[in-house]
Amino acid sequence: MSENATDITNDNIQDNNGNDSLLTGGSLYESSTDKYKDNLSSAITFFVCGGIGIILMILNDIGIIKIVTKDAPSFLFINIVLGLLFIGFIAIGVWSLKYSNKIKAKAETEDKKAANVLNWLEDNITKEDIENSYTGDIQEEMKYFNRTAYVKEQLTVQFTELSDEEAENFSEQFVEKMFN
C-alpha cells in the first residue's frame, strides 16, 4: 500500500496526516443559533474596539494620554487614518448586529423545525427499530454509522424538505441521545 493511502484495516482509522478521522466531526452543518451567537459576538467586539479606539484618540488629542504628540508631522494623518479605522469598526459592528438579527429570526424558525423533527423521531423510531436495521456481526464502532444511516433514511422519507446536512445532524443528535 502506498505511503499516502489511508489504512482502514487498523482499529484506529487515520487520515493521511495521522489524525484519527473517527474523532473529527464529519458534519458541516452549522445551526442558525450558532451563526447568530457568532455574529452577535463579532458585532460586540467591533463596537468595543471602535469605541475604545475613538476614546483613546480623543484622550490623546486633548492631552490626557500621550500616544502621538501634536508636534509630530504625521499627527493629522494618523488621526484621520485611525478615526476612519475606528468608525469603520463601529460601522461593521452595526452591520453585524443587523445581520445577526436576521439570523436570529431564521434560528427561531429552525428551532421549531428541529423540535418537530426530534419529536417525530421520539414518537416513531425506537431503539429496537434502529438495532434491527442492520444484521451481521459488526464492530461496535461501525454500529454508530449504521444507526445514523437508518435514522437519516427514515427522516428523508418523512421530511422531504430537509437538506442532507440537516437530516444527518438530526440523526446524529437522535442516535447520541438514544445510545448514550
Side-chain angles (χ1 to χ4, degrees), residues 74-136:
S74 59
F75 177 75
L76 184 61
F77 178 72
I78 290 173
N79 262 359
I80 291 171
V81 170
L82 288 178
L84 290 174
L85 177 75
F86 295 134
I87 289 171
F89 280 2
I90 292 172
I92 292 170
V94 168
W95 178 82
S96 293
L97 188 61
K98 286 181 180 180
Y99 184 67
S100 67
N101 287 332
K102 288 180 185 178
I103 294 174
K104 184 179 181 182
K106 184 179 178 185
E108 291 169 352
T109 304
E110 282 187 4
D111 288 344
K112 291 175 185 174
K113 180 180 176 181
N116 185 28
V117 170
L118 293 173
N119 285 337
W120 181 86
L121 283 171
E122 289 175 4
D123 294 343
N124 295 294
I125 306 291
T126 64
K127 197 173 190 177
E128 292 78 29
D129 292 337
I130 296 171
E131 289 297 313
N132 293 332
S133 68
Y134 54 89
T135 58

Side-chain angles (χ1 to χ4, degrees), residues 27-30 106 110 113 117 152-153 155-157 159-171:
S27 177
L28 299 176
Y29 179 77
E30 182 181 20
K106 184 179 178 185
E110 282 187 4
K113 180 180 176 181
V117 170
K152 182 179 175 183
E153 180 182 328
L155 280 176
T156 55
V157 168
F159 299 96
T160 56
E161 75 277 1
L162 285 179
S163 69
D164 194 45
E165 292 85 15
E166 289 174 317
E168 186 174 326
N169 184 46
F170 292 134
S171 63

Side-chain angles (χ1 to χ4, degrees), residues 52-61 63-70 72 75 78-79 82 86:
I52 289 174
I54 288 175
I55 291 170
L56 287 175
M57 275 183 48
I58 292 170
L59 292 175
N60 183 61
D61 289 348
I64 294 177
I65 60 172
K66 303 247 187 234
I67 298 172
V68 178
T69 61
K70 291 182 181 180
F75 177 75
I78 290 173
N79 262 359
L82 288 178
F86 295 134

